Amino acid sequence: DAKTTQPTSMDCAEGRAANLPCNHSTISGNEYVYWYRQIHSQGPQYIIHGLKNNETNEMASLIITEDRKSSTLILPHATLRDTAVYYCIVRVGYAAGNKLTFGGGTRVLVKP
Amino acid sequence: SQTIHQWPATLVQPVGSPLSLECTVEGTSNPNLYWYRQAAGRGLQLLFYSVGIGQISSEVPQNLSASRPQDRQFILSSKKLLLSDSGFYLCAWSRGPGTEAFFGQGTRLTVV
């Protein structure tokens, strides 16, 4: 699976949009981009994933660049409860065993 | 709907004692199952994954083992715990390749 690079940490203001970047310059054509988050002392929570097109759900939007070498997770109106570590993961869709390998993630602190 | 159960939530065990953590999934069949460990202040490390009954793949050589005696049951075990086995253990499931994973709430293990 391709490696990803994320900022170690970032702050954002409550009520504002939070834009979380992720670089995956070695991504291949059959690899998806997944985002998870982990609130302190809880299990990771799936947020969204995509292959080529931008995706949106009730939690967030995922913007993938045309060359697919980077992506941005957008939390449209950050709340204090969005404070968590956010993980960007790239992996093939058909990998045997469906392995999901987590990197260091971005520690997001939403401030009032 | 699908649910994942993991217990106990916390556990304190002496060095050299055995360990058995259990994870069960409801509402689906033939899930992919995973065990992860998160040491204090560290990222998530994939320990084992299973694509079916009796099929276990180990990611990291260690003092732990896993078993899948039933389709929706995944067990993490150790014969003799080490201090370094302390951490936050998470079970997860997914429908298969290319699908998102869902995590349990985790077991916080402290080996003393």
Side-chain angles (χ1 to χ4, degrees):
Chain A
D1 292 345
K3 279 193 166 183
T4 61
T5 304
Q6 298 177 254
T8 304
S9 64
M10 63 183 294
D11 295 345
C12 61
E14 185 181 20
R16 304 291 295 272
N19 298 309
L20 282 61
C22 179
N23 286 324
H24 30 79
S25 58
T26 59
I27 193 170
S28 59
N30 57 8
E31 289 182 311
Y32 289 75
V33 180
Y34 281 76
W35 283 84
Y36 286 77
R37 73 179 182 184
Q38 187 177 22
I39 296 171
H40 183 63
S41 295
Q42 296 184 22
Q45 177 189 24
Y46 164 80
I47 300 173
I48 199 167
H49 76 280
L51 181 63
K52 295 180 183 178
N53 300 323
N54 298 336
E55 302 288 341
T56 296
N57 63 20
E58 65 278 4
M59 289 182 69
S61 295
L62 174 60
I63 308 298
I64 302 174
T65 58
E66 194 169 341
D67 63 7
R68 303 206 327 118
K69 292 185 177 181
S70 66
S71 61
T72 301
L73 179 74
I74 301 173
L75 306 178
H77 304 286
T79 71
L80 299 179
R81 288 177 294 179
D82 291 323
T83 292
V85 178
Y86 287 77
Y87 297 97
C88 171
I89 299 162
V90 173
R91 65 186 179 96
V92 295
Y94 58 82
N98 199 31
K99 289 195 294 182
L100 196 61
T101 304
F102 288 78
T106 296
R107 191 170 297 275
V108 174
L109 176 61
V110 180
K111 296 183 174 180
Chain B
S1 63
Q2 299 83 21
T3 56
I4 180 168
H5 301 282
Q6 192 180 339
W7 66 91
T10 60
L11 189 61
V12 179
Q13 291 284 100
V15 169
S17 64
L19 173 74
S20 180
L21 301 180
E22 187 165 344
C23 172
T24 59
V25 180
E26 295 178 357
T28 189
S29 60
N30 197 31
N32 285 3
L33 297 171
Y34 310 83
W35 278 111
Y36 287 84
R37 177 172 62 197
Q38 189 171 36
R42 306 287 295 276
L44 286 147
Q45 180 186 36
L46 178 61
L47 301 176
F48 301 95
Y49 67 93
S50 170
V51 298
I53 295 174
Q55 302 179 59
I56 309 294
S57 295
S58 173
E59 287 296 295
V60 180
Q62 59 213 319
N63 185 42
L64 302 167
S65 62
S67 62
R68 185 169 177 174
Q70 300 181 45
D71 182 44
R72 291 168 290 172
Q73 183 185 31
F74 206 23
I75 298 172
L76 183 70
S77 304
S78 174
K79 293 182 179 178
K80 289 186 178 182
L81 284 169
L82 306 172
L83 288 174
S84 57
D85 291 324
S86 293
F88 190 42
Y89 288 82
L90 288 152
C91 180
W93 76 273
S94 69
R95 290 182 182 87
T99 63
E100 63 271 28
F102 300 94
F103 286 78
Q105 288 304 299
T107 295
R108 191 162 301 282
L109 171 67
T110 304
V111 181
V112 297

